[in-house]
Amino acid sequence: MSELLKDPVPEDLIRSVYDQTLAAVEELVQVAGLNGGTLLVIGASSSEIAGRRIGTAGSLEIGRAVARALREIRQRFGVPIAVQGCEHINRALVVERETAGRFGLEEVRVVPVPEAGGAVASAAFRLWKDPVCVEAVRAHAGIDIGDTLIGMHLRPVAVPVRLKTDRVGAARVVAAKTRPKYVGGPRARYSLDDG
């Protein structure tokens, strides 16, 4: 039985949420060329994954499935991950303490719970090795599962990425990678091969 969602969460849904999250994130890692020196932000609504409206029927079981898949990605590819909490914690993010240090992220005092932070951030905070919360990141890429609006945590020039896995459960998946800004005037060049 889910702690917040009143209906039981079928085991096959939990397994498919894990598998779909793994597939989507792995594809973005490869397409965007992410590595240990880049940061990936994830926003996910367990309510939307369950087919409900965001913020209305969170599920810690679904949150755990997503957080476990993200932990697997981090272990396999070495990509640091930040999980965005909901607006009740001002969209603070869960990261490993080591990630906060590596990227110079300022730690804030909050513990995500399903009612304030969301089920996915709450699960990540409990399942990951040495988690802390930070106020903001400037990630190199991101995935939004269920319209959670991660854009504030991406670097300024976001480039949409269409993934083969476009749903996790019932939730839409939207992904982006980022690129450096172009700067300069008419004489500027953007590669050694230009002009």
Side-chain angles (χ1 to χ4, degrees):
M1 205 60 174
S2 171
E3 286 84 348
L4 301 173
L5 187 64
K6 300 303 180 212
D7 305 321
V9 179
E11 187 56 41
D12 61 330
L13 174 60
I14 298 299
R15 184 67 201 171
S16 69
V17 165
Y18 175 86
D19 292 341
Q20 291 164 344
T21 302
L22 201 61
V25 178
E26 182 174 347
E27 184 180 355
L28 181 61
V29 165
Q30 293 171 349
V31 167
L34 301 178
N35 56 51
T38 58
L39 184 60
L40 173 62
V41 64
I42 306 291
S45 166
S46 62
S47 298
E48 291 279 335
I49 291 170
R52 308 289 177 83
R53 189 172 51 83
I54 193 168
T56 63
S59 164
L60 279 174
E61 290 92 345
I62 290 172
R64 285 184 199 109
V66 173
R68 283 189 0 262
L70 298 177
R71 183 177 61 193
E72 173 72 17
I73 290 290
R74 193 178 65 246
Q75 290 169 346
R76 285 179 29 203
F77 296 98
V79 175
I81 296 175
V83 175
Q84 177 183 272
C86 75
E87 72 274 11
H88 298 292
I89 59 169
N90 296 331
R91 301 200 188 285
L93 305 106
V94 177
V95 298
E96 290 287 3
R97 185 177 305 280
E98 183 272 329
T99 298
R102 182 186 315 175
F103 290 94
L105 304 173
E106 186 174 348
E107 184 177 345
V108 294
R109 279 303 262 253
V110 69
V111 174
V113 294
E115 301 81 9
V120 177
S122 181
F125 198 85
R126 285 153 182 78
L127 291 174
W128 289 5
K129 183 179 174 186
D130 189 16
V132 297
C133 283
V134 298
E135 189 170 17
V137 301
R138 290 175 49 95
H140 298 83
I143 293 184
D144 186 324
I145 303 169
D147 304 319
T148 62
L149 303 175
I150 61 166
M152 67 188 286
H153 293 301
L154 289 172
R155 294 187 321 165
V157 185
V159 178
V161 174
R162 292 215 182 259
L163 300 176
K164 292 175 189 157
T165 304
D166 63 354
R167 296 240 171 230
V168 171
R172 293 186 314 153
V173 172
V174 177
K177 59 184 180 176
T178 63
R179 66 162 176 76
K181 296 177 185 180
Y182 288 121
V183 297
R187 296 181 188 186
R189 300 288 184 258
Y190 301 105
S191 75
L192 290 176
D193 298 331
D194 286 354

